[in-house]
Amino acid sequence: ARCIAAVAALAGAVAQVVARADDADADAEAALAALPSVEDAQRSRVARKPAFLSGDEVNELLAAADALREKAGRFARDANGVPQLGDAPWTTWYLHTDGAFAAACPRLRQRLLDLAADADREQGWGLLSGDREIMLRTVELHEVKRGGALPDPRHFDGGSLVTVDLMLSRPSDFEGGSFTTLEADGRQETYRFERGDALVFVSHKFHSVRPVTAGRRTGFVCE
């Protein structure tokens, strides 16, 4: 009897594990189904929000980023995207490491979520509507020096729904470094992108950054 009870308990435990695995698979499939197709993303438009951050707010964000990046994940690469151990033209700090950005900047985090949701509604993307919980998958600070670029015209932010890109540098701080998108008709479109501005777009839309030819370009990206 004890043996039969033990076998029954084991079978029940296995059934629970299988059920949880099935639920996880269903959640994963639902998440993948919500992602925009690359083809549809190319037909979407970039939403530009001038002066989303004031000059003082940009300074506050830069100060917060300086405090966070000491413990943040870091990735440095050359102009061709090859990882570098030391100094490099393009360096990224992952400010969301261990929930640091959410803890340090809760008001800005909510503003960014609201900005993404507003753009999604205004542009008719339909990616953030309904009962879906909206969260920031990644929060990044990018510093780009002479020679740094995102040269692949077909680069896109795989696995995300909506991307928010903030410019933290003044136009006089750098030369080059234009943000561009590859449109469905083959055109490359360049955007006015000044300090405090936000560009909001479907994450699977092709985008790139032209080489910085002088100075330093500092940007903030969240998805």
Side-chain angles (χ1 to χ4, degrees), residues 37-46 153-154 180-189 191 204-207:
S37 72
V38 172
E39 292 76 15
D40 288 343
Q42 306 327 306
R43 292 189 286 271
S44 66
R45 303 293 297 168
V46 173
R154 293 181 175 271
T180 66
T181 56
L182 180 60
E183 298 301 304
D185 60 4
R187 290 181 301 109
Q188 273 207 321
E189 187 162 344
Y191 298 82
H204 286 193
K205 185 174 181 68
F206 296 145
H207 57 281

Side-chain angles (χ1 to χ4, degrees), residues 102-142:
C105 305
R107 290 179 62 251
L108 177 56
R109 176 183 178 276
Q110 189 58 53
R111 285 188 64 194
L112 292 165
L113 291 171
D114 292 342
L115 175 64
D118 289 346
D120 177 70
R121 183 178 60 256
E122 293 166 2
Q123 297 292 324
W125 299 330
L127 298 172
L128 306 179
S129 57
D131 297 330
R132 184 181 298 118
E133 181 183 2
I134 304 173
M135 63 184 66
L136 298 182
R137 187 177 71 89
T138 183
V139 181
E140 304 164 1
L141 181 75
H142 296 262

Side-chain angles (χ1 to χ4, degrees), residues 22-35:
D22 289 343
D23 289 343
D25 289 344
D27 290 343
E29 289 178 5
L32 288 173
L35 292 175

Side-chain angles (χ1 to χ4, degrees), residues 154-215:
R154 293 181 175 271
H155 167 84
F156 64 93
D157 301 329
S160 296
L161 295 171
V162 174
T163 297
V164 177
D165 199 337
L166 303 179
M167 176 56 70
L168 305 184
S169 293
R170 298 177 177 85
S172 59
D173 290 339
F174 67 97
E175 297 176 7
S178 297
F179 178 91
T180 66
T181 56
L182 180 60
E183 298 301 304
D185 60 4
R187 290 181 301 109
Q188 273 207 321
E189 187 162 344
T190 302
Y191 298 82
R192 184 177 179 181
F193 196 19
E194 299 181 353
R195 192 174 198 247
D197 289 354
L199 298 178
V200 189
F201 53 95
V202 175
S203 298
H204 286 193
K205 185 174 181 68
F206 296 145
H207 57 281
S208 57
V209 177
R210 290 177 178 163
V212 170
T213 57

Side-chain angles (χ1 to χ4, degrees), residues 74-108:
R74 176 182 177 275
F75 179 72
R77 55 189 171 86
D78 66 13
N80 297 312
V82 178
Q84 303 291 301
L85 293 177
D87 194 27
W90 191 307
T91 304
T92 302
W93 286 269
Y94 298 97
L95 303 183
H96 62 280
T97 304
D98 296 329
F101 177 78
C105 305
R107 290 179 62 251
L108 177 56

